[in-house]
Amino acid sequence: MKALFVVASFIAITALNGCAIKNDETSLHGLGLTYKSKVEKLENGDYTTSVESAPAAGRISGATGTATQIATEYCGSQGKGMKVVKMETDSHYLINGVAHLTFQCN
């Protein structure tokens, strides 16, 4: 019975460990992990990035803040300002916060 519990726990932890975004970089933010995707250019010329943050990394506010920071730094590296086109938020497994940011550099 104990072995069955250990196996079931391992399977549950492994299943809940996946990311809701394309994880290009993982970092520690506060006391929790933040998973980040690289900035990608869309067909219409806009850019997009996504972030997933654990509760100890700020959950939704941590994800939106980090996505905004990534976009601002990306545009700043081109000598431009960042303009938010769309910010969508969600949760992953009702625990982590997820933010998908579409933006322009101008």
Side-chain angles (χ1 to χ4, degrees):
M1 184 61 101
K2 186 176 179 181
L4 179 61
F5 176 75
V6 171
V7 171
S9 296
F10 177 77
I11 291 170
I13 290 169
T14 302
L16 293 175
N17 199 22
C19 289
I21 66 164
K22 179 182 172 203
N23 183 18
D24 293 318
E25 180 186 343
T26 302
S27 62
L28 189 62
H29 183 83
L31 297 175
L33 292 176
T34 301
Y35 309 98
K36 307 172 201 173
S37 70
K38 291 181 181 176
V39 173
E40 295 180 6
K41 190 169 187 173
L42 301 174
E43 289 181 15
N44 66 358
D46 291 348
Y47 297 92
T48 186
T49 189
S50 298
V51 176
E52 180 176 342
S53 293
R59 199 166 181 273
I60 297 287
S61 64
T64 57
T66 301
T68 302
Q69 179 183 3
I70 290 168
T72 301
E73 289 173 1
Y74 183 84
C75 293
S77 71
Q78 301 174 19
K80 299 178 180 180
M82 190 273 291
K83 177 184 173 189
V84 174
V85 174
K86 180 171 54 172
M87 175 77 78
E88 297 177 321
T89 59
D90 199 357
S91 64
H92 184 233
Y93 291 119
L94 302 175
I95 298 171
N96 291 348
V98 179
H100 302 285
L101 174 62
T102 303
F103 64 97
Q104 297 173 341
C105 295
N106 47 31

